[in-house]
Amino acid sequence: MDMLTGLLAGPQARGAFLLKSVLNPPWAMRIEDRAPLSVATMVRGSAWMLPDGGEPVLIAPGDVAVVRGPDPYTVADAPDTPVTVTVGPDQRCSTPEGEDVTESMALGVRTWGAAHQHAGSAVMLSGTYQAPSEIGRRLLGALPTILVRPARAADATLIDLLASEISSEEPGQEVVLDRLLDLLLIGVLRAWPSAADSGAPAWLRAQSDPVVGPALRLLHESPAHGWTVEELAVRVGVSRASLARRFREVVGEPPVGYLTGWRLALAADMLREPDATVERVARRVGYGSAFALSAAFKRVRGMSPQTYRTGTAGPGAGPDAGLVPGPGGTVVLSPPQAPGRG
C-alpha cells in the first residue's frame, strides 16, 4: 500500500450532510458550521468562495472545491454581495435579522433555496463531513484552506450521479450518498500531490522519490514494525547514510521522527473508534504498552490518549483536538480554463 492509498483510505463519511442549493442572485451564504471538511461543486452557474482572510476564488460549473474547516467562509454570487443567509453548526439557516429559514426555504428532499429547484440560476451540490475522524487528521492538517479541481480534470459522471441521487429517497440512500461524497473527495485529493505548485507537503510529494518513496511505503504498510534506519536502508537497497540524508532532504525530518508522527496520527484516529482502548491502540501502532503510547502522545499532543478520546480536557479537547492547522490559502490543481474566469 502506497502512502497516498493509506491516506485516502481514511475518508469515510458517516451520515454526511448533503444538500442541493438552488439560488438566484443576489445571494451569499456565510458558512459557520465548523465542519472539518466540505466538498462543493456547481451544477449550474458559478460561485465565489471567500475564505476569511484569504483571496476569493471562482468556482465554475463542474469544478470541485474541497474546503478545510473549521474556520468560517462565505459562498456568494459575487465577492461583494452582503450575506443573505448564515449556516450554523447544526446546519440551521438564518437571515442577518435572526430569522430561521431552514424550513421555509426547503424545496424538497435535500434541496433548499430561494427559487423553484428547476428555475435557479445557480445550483450547488455540497457535502459536509461531520467529524475529523471521518477523514484522518494527518490529511486534514496538510490540506490548504481551499483545494479546487477544475471541471476538465474532474469526474463529470460522478457529479451527474450525485446530482441525480441527492434528492432521492430510495432505501439505503444515505450510504449511497456517503460513498459518492467520498469518491468525489478522493478524486480531488489524488490529483493534488503531483500538480504543479500544489503546495502539498513534502512528505506527500515524496512518494515519487526513488529512495524515499519506497521507504515511506514500508512505514505506511507496517507502522507497528520496529523499524530502524538500517533495516529501511537494506529494504530500499541503499546505504544507511544515503537513506538518512535523502529522507531528511525530501521530507524535512529523519525516518524515525516521521514514523513517530505517523503512528500518533493513526493512534489519534483509532482512539475515536467506539471500542478502542489505549492498550489495543498502542499495540496496533507499534508501542509496547499503553504507558509507552501515553508518554509519546502526551509529549507531542499535550494530553493523554484517554483525555483525548473522552474529550475531557476543556475547549481544546473537542473533535478538532490535536489537529494541526493546515497551510491556508487556495490551491487550483491546474491553470484556469480560459481568460476571464476570475
Side-chain angles (χ1 to χ4, degrees):
M1 177 177 65
D2 61 68
M3 178 172 49
L4 190 59
T5 297
L7 288 172
L8 296 183
Q12 287 284 316
R14 299 175 181 89
F17 182 80
L18 286 107
L19 187 69
K20 176 165 70 175
S21 300
V22 184
L23 304 153
N24 276 323
W27 61 271
M29 294 188 292
R30 175 74 171 166
I31 312 300
E32 298 182 350
D33 59 4
R34 297 197 59 78
L37 197 72
S38 297
V39 180
T41 184
M42 299 303 296
V43 175
R44 184 163 67 241
S46 59
W48 287 90
M49 285 199 169
L50 302 106
D52 285 12
E55 293 295 320
V57 58
L58 182 63
I59 308 298
D63 292 354
V64 180
V66 173
V67 185
R68 175 179 53 79
D71 294 338
Y73 60 97
T74 300
V75 187
D77 68 312
D80 57 353
T81 300
V83 171
T84 53
V85 170
T86 297
V87 181
D90 54 359
Q91 301 297 338
R92 303 295 296 183
C93 304
S94 60
T95 67
E97 294 74 31
E99 178 188 359
D100 190 321
V101 293
T102 308
E103 307 301 332
S104 63
M105 295 182 69
L107 300 175
V109 178
R110 301 184 191 89
T111 305
W112 181 93
H116 186 279
Q117 60 177 307
H118 299 297
S121 64
V123 176
M124 179 175 66
L125 307 180
S126 58
T128 301
Y129 287 81
Q130 303 294 306
S133 58
E134 296 174 356
I135 306 104
R137 282 166 178 75
R138 190 166 181 88
L139 179 58
L140 272 179
L143 285 170
T145 302
I146 301 177
L147 182 62
V148 181
R149 189 179 191 189
R152 69 171 178 271
D155 190 335
T157 302
L158 187 58
I159 294 172
D160 290 343
L161 183 58
L162 179 62
S164 66
E165 292 282 348
I166 200 167
S167 300
S168 175
E169 289 189 287
E170 295 293 322
Q173 195 65 32
E174 186 175 283
V175 176
V176 171
L177 292 173
D178 281 349
R179 298 293 77 79
L180 288 175
L181 179 62
D182 289 342
L183 289 172
L184 201 60
L185 171 64
I186 288 170
V188 177
L189 298 181
R190 285 178 67 187
W192 178 37
S194 59
D197 301 320
S198 67
W203 55 264
L204 188 51
R205 290 184 279 108
Q207 63 182 330
S208 60
D209 186 89
V211 173
V212 179
L216 285 170
R217 282 191 287 274
L218 289 168
L219 297 179
H220 278 251
E221 286 171 359
S222 305
H225 182 72
W227 292 106
T228 64
V229 179
E230 289 83 358
E231 183 180 1
L232 275 176
V234 169
R235 296 285 295 274
V236 173
V238 297
S239 71
R240 179 191 182 282
S242 295
L243 175 62
R245 180 177 62 253
R246 184 62 181 165
F247 202 101
R248 185 180 284 276
E249 287 174 354
V250 174
V251 179
E253 62 181 327
V256 174
Y258 177 85
L259 177 59
T260 298
W262 178 237
R263 284 172 169 173
L264 294 179
L266 291 174
D269 286 340
M270 291 176 186
L271 287 165
R272 294 295 185 184
E273 297 173 3
D275 59 346
T277 65
V278 178
E279 185 69 40
R280 186 179 300 124
V281 170
R283 291 196 301 270
R284 289 172 65 185
V285 299
Y287 286 89
S289 66
F291 177 80
L293 173 60
S294 296
F297 202 93
K298 190 168 186 178
R299 182 179 68 253
V300 173
R301 294 180 176 258
M303 67 182 75
S304 70
Q306 190 62 37
T307 299
Y308 173 84
R309 182 173 185 270
T310 57
T312 56
D320 300 320
L323 176 58
V324 177
T330 299
V331 174
V332 179
L333 296 181
S334 61
Q337 294 183 7
R341 275 196 57 194

